[in-house]
């Protein structure tokens, strides 16, 4: 069976996608900033008719066409559109791959007879894309290079065994060589592919590089060029259609349990865990209700996940009944299989009625998930150590769901208070350290004092709170009970401006 390849080129994919929902009849272009200049990324037919082209500077385009309408290019949306077209093109070939940012390549060997021949297959493809509002040019040939070249220069079909005749009239640039090589060939009178075919390969390679010879031989079939289909990412979603509508919370949870078993099994096959799950409930009146939860860490345990859906499902308005459920995991992360050891919490097992016990880290993840779904994951914080001697900079606050716990580094110096707060002035202080002082409308008498611990401010940071300079910290145990952390600025001439910044346990 002869190998046949289909190349599809979308010359105005970005503009077609952008204008699909918001049509515009005049000159239109998408712009993309490169360096310090905006350039035209893609233009429509009206802009082409006015003399504009891709890559032109926006300022030059405005001078030629003052009424040009522009929008910023969305490269991510363009890539997503090409990926969708690649999946759609699978109706014509079992293997479809991308060919640059604006093209597709498909191996249609043995397929055309299902559509009545290559011409009918190509006509059906072009008609469907035209109805979708997409400009496309397609070509069929025996090699990838020939199909690519023909699609970028008008399209058509090259019969098997006639590659040289089919692409011979095309310019050298159709071989996917760089512009510098094409210009060098043009200077010696070689402007078409047909001019290169009869020439010996060794002199061409010595003068113009091996890349030119490789591209020529690939287009003519002397060198093989594979077509690799892009691997489809796994889709983590399951659904269930019910023969009779349901409305009770217990019935919805029972259906959810079945969906969770299937979804978690699929996640386990790919060594993935869910970080966010979405349950779509379709009512008989075609309305849809959605319940979405987040997880503090990747998970695929159906029982633990189902407990987090209980509150959201209980608030669902079932209307006249729910006849379909769909569960998906839009956000997933790698989760390797792990063996549960013997370090389990018997107390948690007893609380759950003797069921399977949870490890400490699993119980903590469930707690963070429950709190995060109620008040927001960005509001559940944990303390992380920071490398700084400044008391208020010795820790960081980070969302617990998106960070890992870190042990506090061992300290060789004095302990820090369990409670830190902004410095509060002390009045009626006498002595150094103060034997008696007044703080928060209460009088204290010093029982013992340890210090001083001198801390120097970070000179590379301009912190208004530390503009007073050095601080000497003292650990004061009072006769009234509180154990306070006081400091004084030694450079103060009076030396009597004492402050309290923390309290020990």
């Amino acid at each position: 069976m002869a190998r046949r390849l289909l190349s599809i080129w979308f010359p105005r994919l970005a503009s077609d996608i952008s204008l699909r929902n918001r049509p515009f009849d005049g000159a239109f272009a998408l712009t993309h900033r490169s360096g310090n200049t905006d350039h035209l990324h893609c233009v429509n037919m009206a802009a082409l008719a006015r003399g504009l082209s891709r890559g032109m500077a926006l300022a030059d385009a405005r001078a030629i066409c003052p009424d040009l309408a522009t929008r910023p290019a969305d490269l991510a949306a363009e890539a997503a559109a090409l990926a969708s077209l690649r999946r759609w093109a699978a109706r014509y070939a079992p293997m479809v791959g991308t060919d640059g940012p604006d093209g597709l390549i498909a191996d249609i060997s043995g397929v055309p007879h299902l559509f009545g021949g290559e011409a009918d297959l190509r006509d059906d493809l072009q008609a469907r894309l035209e109805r979708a509002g997409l400009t496309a040019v397609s070509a069929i040939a025996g090699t990838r290079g020939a199909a690519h070249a023909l699609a970028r220069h008008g399209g058509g079909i090259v019969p098997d065994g006639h590659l040289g005749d089919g692409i011979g009239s095309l310019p050298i640039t159709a071989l996917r060589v760089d512009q510098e090589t094409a210009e060098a060939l043009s200077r010696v009178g070689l402007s078409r592919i047909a001019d290169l075919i009869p020439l010996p390969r060794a002199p061409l390679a010595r003068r113009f590089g091996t890349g030119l010879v490789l591209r020529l031989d690939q287009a003519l079939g002397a060198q093989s060029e594979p077509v690799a289909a892009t691997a489809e990412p796994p889709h983590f979603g399951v659904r269930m259609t019910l023969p009779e509508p349901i409305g009770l919370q217990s019935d919805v949870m029972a259906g959810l349990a079945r969906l969770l078993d299937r979804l978690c099994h699929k996640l386990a096959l790919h060594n993935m865990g869910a970080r966010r799950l979405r349950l779509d409930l379709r009512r008989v009146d075609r309305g849809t209700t959605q319940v979405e939860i987040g997880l503090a860490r990747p998970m695929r345990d159906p029982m633990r996940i189902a407990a987090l859906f209980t509150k959201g499902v209980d608030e669902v308005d079932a209307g006249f009944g729910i006849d379909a459920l769909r569960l998906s995991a839009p956000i997933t992360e790698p989760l390797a299989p792990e063996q549960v050891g013997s370090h389990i919490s018997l107390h948690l097992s007893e609380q759950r009625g003797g069921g399977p016990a949870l490890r400490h880290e699993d119980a903590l993840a469930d707690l963070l998930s429950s709190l995060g779904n109620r008040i927001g994951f960005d509001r559940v914080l944990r303390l992380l150590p920071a490398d700084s001697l400044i008391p208020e900079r010795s820790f960081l606050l980070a969302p617990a769901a998106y960070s890992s716990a870190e042990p506090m580094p061992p300290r060789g110096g004095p302990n820090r208070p369990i409670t830190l707060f902004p410095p509060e002035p002390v009045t009626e202080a006498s002595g150094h350290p103060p034997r008696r002082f007044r703080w928060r409308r209460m009088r204290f008498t010093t029982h013992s004092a340890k210090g001083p611990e001198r801390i120097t401010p970070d000179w590379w940071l301009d912190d208004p709170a530390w503009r007073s300079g050095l601080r000497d910290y003292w650990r004061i145990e009072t006769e009234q009970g509180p154990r306070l952390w006081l400091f004084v600025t030694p450079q103060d001439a009076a030396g009597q401006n004492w402050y309290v910044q923390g309290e020990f346990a």
Side-chain angles (χ1 to χ4, degrees), residues 143-190:
T143 63
R144 179 172 182 170
H148 178 278
L150 195 60
R152 269 70 178 173
H153 293 82
I157 299 176
V158 178
D160 185 29
H162 296 79
L163 288 172
D165 298 333
I167 64 174
S169 60
L170 301 181
I172 299 293
T173 53
L175 290 176
R176 295 173 290 170
V177 297
D178 57 86
Q179 188 65 29
E180 183 180 352
T181 302
E183 292 176 356
L185 289 166
S186 179
R187 284 195 293 269
V188 297
L190 304 174

Side-chain angles (χ1 to χ4, degrees), residues 450-467:
K450 295 181 180 180
E453 176 192 359
R454 176 161 292 184
I455 297 180
T456 305
D458 297 332
W459 56 267
W460 58 92
L461 296 176
D462 185 16
D463 189 346
W466 281 79
R467 287 176 182 172

Side-chain angles (χ1 to χ4, degrees), residues 317-362:
D317 179 12
F320 294 102
I322 296 170
D323 60 0
L325 295 84
R326 183 178 184 274
L327 180 66
S328 60
I331 300 179
T332 58
E333 291 182 7
L335 179 61
E338 57 183 12
Q339 181 177 358
V340 179
S342 59
H343 52 288
I344 56 178
S345 171
L346 296 178
H347 178 66
L348 289 174
S349 177
E350 294 173 356
Q351 287 185 343
R352 292 174 175 263
L358 285 179
R359 296 174 298 171
H360 172 73
E361 54 267 30
D362 293 336

Side-chain angles (χ1 to χ4, degrees), residues 213-235:
V213 175
L214 175 63
R215 289 304 191 188
L216 179 61
D217 289 342
Q218 286 177 340
L220 297 177
Q223 287 280 352
S224 62
E225 188 176 6
V227 175
T230 306
E232 287 286 352
H235 173 67

